[in-house]
Amino acid sequence: MEYSPVLYIVIPCYNEEAVLPVTAPLFRRKLEDMMNQSLVSADSRILFVNDGSNDGTWELICTMAQEDPHYIGISQSRNRGHQNAVLAGLMESKDKCDITISIDCDGQDDLNAMDEMVKRYLEGNEIVYGVRSSRETDTFFKRFTAQAFYKLLNWMGVEVVYNHADYRLISRRVLQEFQNFKEVNLYLRGMIPLVGFKSTTVFYERHERMAGKSHYPLSKMLGLAFDGITSLSVRPIRMISGLGITVSFISFLFIIWIMVQYFRGETVAGWASICAIVCLMSGIQLICAGVIGEYIGKIYLETKSRPRYIISERTYEEKCSKQKEELQAEQ
Ligand code: UDP
Ligand code: MG
């Protein structure tokens, strides 16, 4: 018999009573479709994560779960934000399924990319990133800011997949390693690539929201962007050190010029000394701030206590000594 993995579709929902009745049946139909093709197992589920909604979202999820066992739901005790809701869903699924696909509940991301994601997994990929093929439905402003943001992140040394949001397939194996990333400031798009393993991308069209309204106004987008940079990069601290060195160098040149002016007698009394001190001190202070920053950066990375290595393959079967004893006893 062919291998059909158990799939959990993880869907974060925050105040989505307007859109959920529209999109839930679409997810269900997609799952049915994939089960009929034996692409995924009949034990697959659609897992809704209620992110502390204060409308009827959770009641809706409960009703759906009662009517159809393929729908299941968990609820966060309060609103913690999109990234945390996705993480909660992924961690809930990691021991129950072979693969997860996370997707927003508003129907913006094309469900039909799921088939291809699963196929890519069956070909041996552990992570499959959904990438938007076009941004035509986005406003010019959103497109422009998003592009600038990806460039900025890359420049900061953060590895992100271009035009990929949080629509992706992750295997159980990757999730099991990912649970060791204990940080609380989440930026999943930047963190998942850190886990490694074989990965690929599939392309899809992004549509307009089917109903309800976006929960990502500009302020939240900027917040996520800032989180992305500061959670994954210590480059801003390095920039302070760099600035310190540059300012010191310029100050040094400036001080020479001041001295020349002084000896030529073209200055007012006190001007030269004050200027020299201001230049010198600002340079020294910035360098000091940078040095302190380097240490803070190190502490910051240590406090994340991320795994230091992840093994993806072995030429031998792992057996602990207890298992070995049991095997010997059997023989
Ligand atoms: N969401 C969430 N918690 C929040 C905000 C949003 O779980 O605090 C969910 C929301 O229900 C949706 C997804 O995150 O499924 C993406 O949100 P939205 O569509 O509003 O963002 P946009 O697509 O406009 O960036
Ligand atoms: Mg959306």
Side-chain angles (χ1 to χ4, degrees):
M1 218 197 84
E2 241 182 282
Y3 164 65
S4 313
V6 178
L7 165 70
Y8 270 43
I9 303 177
V10 174
I11 308 173
C13 309
Y14 174 58
N15 290 349
E16 299 285 14
E17 64 180 1
V19 80
L20 213 50
V22 186
T23 53
L26 299 179
F27 288 118
R28 181 70 183 89
R29 213 171 311 143
K30 185 79 228 167
L31 189 67
E32 189 72 45
D33 192 39
M34 288 195 288
M35 291 192 295
N36 288 341
Q37 291 179 55
S38 295
L39 208 53
V40 300
S41 147
D43 295 328
S44 300
R45 296 282 178 270
I46 297 169
L47 170 67
F48 294 106
V49 184
N50 173 35
D51 186 20
S53 303
N54 38 34
D55 65 355
T57 302
W58 179 237
E59 286 68 30
L60 256 169
I61 295 172
C62 292
T63 322
M64 288 193 288
Q66 263 166 14
E67 286 165 4
D68 185 338
H70 285 97
Y71 290 125
I72 54 175
I74 55 175
S75 185
Q76 294 214 84
S77 57
R78 48 159 292 183
N79 179 246
R80 294 295 305 267
H82 174 217
Q83 300 285 298
N84 295 67
V86 175
L87 180 74
L90 294 178
M91 289 300 123
E92 181 78 9
S93 320
K94 76 177 191 306
D95 301 317
K96 305 188 175 89
C97 63
D98 300 310
I99 47 176
T100 59
I101 293 180
S102 52
I103 185 169
D104 293 350
C105 75
D106 54 11
Q108 282 191 282
D109 304 318
D110 187 5
L111 298 184
N112 295 319
M114 285 190 189
D115 302 69
E116 211 180 321
M117 284 183 172
V118 177
K119 283 178 193 153
R120 294 281 169 278
Y121 164 75
L122 293 172
E123 286 165 14
N125 293 288
E126 303 280 342
I127 308 173
V128 185
Y129 300 99
V131 173
R132 290 175 212 181
S133 52
S134 73
R135 280 181 166 268
E136 268 153 32
T137 53
D138 283 345
T139 58
F140 171 76
F141 177 73
K142 178 123 187 180
R143 229 168 16 205
F144 178 76
T145 47
Q147 228 148 33
F149 177 55
Y150 284 114
K151 291 234 169 77
L152 180 69
L153 271 185
N154 270 326
W155 184 71
M156 291 271 178
V158 181
E159 198 184 318
V160 279
V161 180
Y162 191 66
N163 267 350
H164 158 70
D166 282 299
Y167 184 19
R168 72 176 88 75
L169 178 148
I170 310 180
S171 74
R172 173 201 182 107
R173 192 167 173 209
V174 170
L175 289 178
Q176 234 118 37
E177 299 294 347
F178 187 64
Q179 65 177 329
N180 296 325
F181 286 66
K182 303 277 186 206
E183 56 219 75
V184 279
N185 291 297
L186 296 177
Y187 187 68
L188 296 175
R189 278 169 237 192
M191 290 164 68
I192 301 286
L194 293 178
V195 185
F197 293 98
K198 196 169 172 218
S199 64
T200 188
T201 51
V202 301
F203 292 91
Y204 70 93
E205 294 272 332
R206 178 137 161 129
H207 309 292
E208 304 268 5
R209 210 171 214 285
M210 289 193 175
K213 58 176 184 2
S214 169
H215 301 99
Y216 266 100
L218 185 63
S219 59
K220 256 199 196 172
M221 243 166 61
L222 287 177
L224 183 70
F226 193 71
D227 249 5
I229 295 169
T230 53
S231 319
L232 292 155
S233 168
V234 287
R235 185 135 183 192
I237 293 176
R238 295 262 146 82
M239 281 160 63
I240 298 178
S241 310
L243 189 67
I245 292 167
T246 316
V247 168
S248 299
F249 182 69
I250 294 171
S251 306
F252 179 71
L253 297 181
F254 193 53
I255 287 170
I256 293 176
W257 183 70
I258 290 167
M259 278 177 9
V260 170
Q261 293 295 85
Y262 176 75
F263 285 118
R264 287 171 69 194
E266 284 177 13
T267 58
V268 195
W271 176 82
S273 53
I274 287 178
C275 279
I277 290 171
V278 169
C279 290
L280 197 69
M281 287 316 289
S282 51
I284 290 176
Q285 276 176 350
L286 273 176
I287 291 182
C288 292
V291 171
I292 296 172
E294 283 293 321
Y295 285 99
I296 294 179
K298 294 252 153 63
I299 296 170
Y300 174 64
L301 292 179
E302 291 291 342
T303 52
K304 285 183 192 285
S305 45
R306 283 181 183 162
R308 279 160 300 176
Y309 59 87
I310 294 169
I311 311 283
S312 68
E313 256 115 11
R314 286 191 173 81
T315 60
Y316 59 93
E317 277 282 316
E318 253 188 313
K319 286 208 175 63
C320 66
S321 50
K322 193 155 171 268
Q323 273 177 317
K324 275 186 203 150
E325 275 167 26
E326 279 168 11
L327 277 177
Q328 275 163 0
E330 272 172 32
Q331 281 164 4

